Amino acid sequence: MPDLFHIVEAVLVAVFGAAALWALFRLRRHLQNVTFYFVLAVLLGGALAPVMSLGMSHSTQHMMLGASRVLFAAALFVGCLEVLRITGILNRQLARKQDAERQLTENREHLQRLIMQRTEALRSEISERSKLQESLANYSQMLEKDLQAAAQAQSAMQTELPRCDYVRVAANSFARDQVNGDMFHVDLRANGDLFLMVGDAMGHGAAAGFMTVLARTALKTMNLERTPSQILSELNHLMSEQDSGVYLTAVLARISPNGRCQIAHAGHPSSIILRGHETLEYLRAGGFALGMFDLPGVEYTQQELQLNPGDRVLLYTDGVTEVRNAQGEEYGWDRLDNALRDSDPASVDNALMQVLEHVYDFCGDQPMTDDITLLLAEYTGAESAAR
């Protein structure tokens, strides 16, 4: 029979083995498979050894308890090694976590520095934009003053049409913007010849207005005893010297009391002759715009025709034929022909207004895309001049 000491020792070993098994299974997910099964086998062997020794001889019990102690010592040794391994893993994980936190802190500080730098850059940019907006506002005011001055200069030069006994003239010009890029000029010379000119500066604004003022001023001071082609050549030379990058298309007509008419074009749309209020003739256009080339070989073709009493000459800018309606259709020459034929044969003033009304009825509420200028002259004959 086993003595009391052996029984107590067997019970304690069994309890220790059960506690060790419980701890082993709690740490199962942290242990490697080989380690787990080895420790499990050792613990089971160490726990069962004293139990199995009960009822055996005294020497056998001693041997079984010794084996149990050895097995528990081996399990404890392996467990300590595994604890050290797990501790190393945890330390490495902790170190990586600390490195990640340090990197996160550095990234956060770097991001804060970038935000501060970007904020300062935005403040500087906002300040620069404010200065730029102020400069633009000042420039806009200066430009507005320049446009007003150009418009006033154009208005001051727009005098009443001269009275001519053998030609009745009506003219009108409408600017798309504040400054008109179109111009017309009527000049009755001392010898009785009447000069008619319509021009269209390429572009808009003050530069275009300057070219029209320059052309009108030059015509007022120029010797107009020469032919229209010669006058256009001289104007081309004058405007080429300005080197403004703005060109002027123009048509210049000279009508004498006997009905002789000379017309020259400088890149301008064809003039229209209305004969007897029925037949329309388009005069050949061509030539370079004024100020585009100043070469010795640049000349302007001149056409001559005889006007009969009642014949009308229409000079206009391309803003008339190129105006569009809401459907995107151009007014064109066909509609202009019809409007001119249907206009009042008794009054050039009424006729001009009727043509303009026809143009505006066509485009409706569509905004103007270009300046519009029309000049209508009717030759009444030398006999009317004599009277």
Side-chain angles (χ1 to χ4, degrees):
M1 291 293 290
D3 55 20
L4 181 62
F5 174 77
H6 289 158
I7 296 174
V8 172
E9 186 176 10
V11 172
L12 291 176
V13 169
V15 172
F16 176 78
L21 288 172
W22 176 82
L24 179 66
F25 279 96
R26 291 282 293 179
L27 295 174
R28 171 69 180 90
R29 62 190 182 90
H30 298 292
L31 301 176
Q32 297 178 345
N33 289 334
V34 174
T35 302
F36 171 77
Y37 289 116
F38 174 78
V39 174
L40 178 62
V42 170
L43 287 175
L44 288 174
L48 293 176
V51 176
M52 294 173 61
S53 67
L54 295 175
M56 297 182 180
S57 65
H58 186 74
S59 59
T60 303
Q61 290 178 355
H62 274 286
M63 184 182 65
M64 295 293 286
L65 288 174
S68 176
R69 294 188 190 99
V70 172
L71 291 174
F72 277 133
L76 182 61
F77 177 74
V78 173
C80 290
L81 292 179
E82 191 65 19
V83 168
L84 291 176
R85 187 185 69 82
I86 295 173
T87 303
I89 293 174
L90 293 177
N91 288 334
R92 288 193 296 272
Q93 290 178 347
L94 179 60
R96 285 197 295 268
K97 180 180 179 182
Q98 291 174 346
D99 290 340
E101 290 178 349
R102 184 171 59 254
Q103 186 65 38
L104 181 62
T105 301
E106 292 177 356
N107 291 341
R108 185 184 297 111
E109 293 175 352
H110 179 65
L111 181 60
Q112 289 176 347
R113 287 194 299 270
L114 290 178
I115 292 174
M116 292 178 63
Q117 293 174 359
R118 184 55 181 163
T119 301
E120 187 63 27
L122 286 175
R123 288 175 181 171
S124 177
E125 186 176 347
I126 291 172
S127 177
E128 290 296 328
R129 286 188 178 183
S130 298
K131 294 179 181 179
L132 179 60
Q133 288 178 347
E134 184 178 355
S135 299
L136 288 175
N138 293 334
Y139 177 76
S140 179
Q141 292 177 357
M142 293 175 57
L143 182 60
E144 182 66 22
K145 291 180 180 179
D146 291 343
L147 292 176
Q148 290 177 356
Q152 290 173 358
Q154 285 184 325
S155 178
M157 298 193 69
Q158 198 72 274
T159 58
E160 293 184 4
L161 297 175
R163 177 181 174 81
C164 181
D165 294 331
Y166 62 91
V167 177
R168 293 184 294 179
V169 181
N172 217 328
S173 183
F174 298 91
R176 189 197 72 167
D177 300 320
Q178 187 173 359
V179 178
N180 199 340
D182 286 357
M183 53 84 66
F184 66 85
H185 182 73
V186 181
D187 192 356
L188 182 61
R189 308 305 292 175
N191 64 355
D193 289 344
L194 185 69
F195 280 85
L196 310 169
M197 180 175 177
V198 167
D200 182 3
M202 296 182 182
H204 306 280
F210 169 76
M211 291 299 287
T212 62
V213 172
L214 176 64
R216 190 178 287 112
T217 302
L219 284 173
K220 286 179 176 288
T221 59
M222 194 175 292
N223 179 10
L224 297 183
E225 303 303 326
R226 288 171 296 173
T227 64
S229 61
Q230 293 171 335
I231 294 172
L232 289 181
S233 296
E234 188 172 345
L235 279 175
N236 178 61
H237 175 71
L238 176 65
M239 293 187 176
S240 297
E241 291 180 340
Q242 301 301 318
D243 194 23
S244 63
V246 179
Y247 313 121
L248 184 77
T249 68
V251 54
L252 180 62
R254 176 183 183 179
I255 303 178
S256 300
N258 60 4
R260 181 169 173 257
C261 179
Q262 299 171 318
I263 297 182
H265 295 80
H268 203 77
S270 302
S271 303
I272 303 176
I273 308 298
L274 178 61
R275 301 278 191 182
H277 220 76
E278 293 180 358
T279 305
L280 289 176
E281 298 177 10
Y282 276 85
L283 299 185
R284 184 177 67 255
F288 296 108
L290 302 178
M292 182 174 292
F293 299 105
D294 186 21
L295 302 174
V298 175
E299 296 181 353
Y300 294 94
T301 302
Q302 180 174 290
Q303 297 170 260
E304 295 191 12
L305 61 148
Q306 181 64 43
L307 296 178
N308 300 314
D311 290 347
R312 290 179 173 177
V313 179
L314 179 66
L315 311 181
Y316 57 95
T317 59
D318 58 10
V320 177
T321 55
E322 294 178 1
V323 68
R324 294 179 180 272
N325 60 12
Q327 288 73 39
E329 299 174 316
E330 281 192 352
Y331 183 72
W333 282 277
D334 290 339
R335 292 184 177 86
L336 182 59
D337 293 348
N338 295 331
L340 189 58
R341 283 195 183 96
D342 296 339
S343 62
D344 187 356
S347 169
V348 290
D349 293 306
N350 291 342
L352 185 71
M353 291 304 300
Q354 289 168 357
V355 173
L356 284 171
E357 288 175 359
H358 194 263
V359 172
Y360 287 127
D361 288 342
F362 170 79
C363 63
D365 295 332
Q366 292 298 109
M368 293 172 57
T369 57
D370 199 358
D371 307 315
I372 289 179
T373 298
L374 285 167
L375 187 151
L376 185 61
E378 180 183 346
Y379 177 67
T380 58
E383 294 182 357
S384 63
R387 292 197 298 268

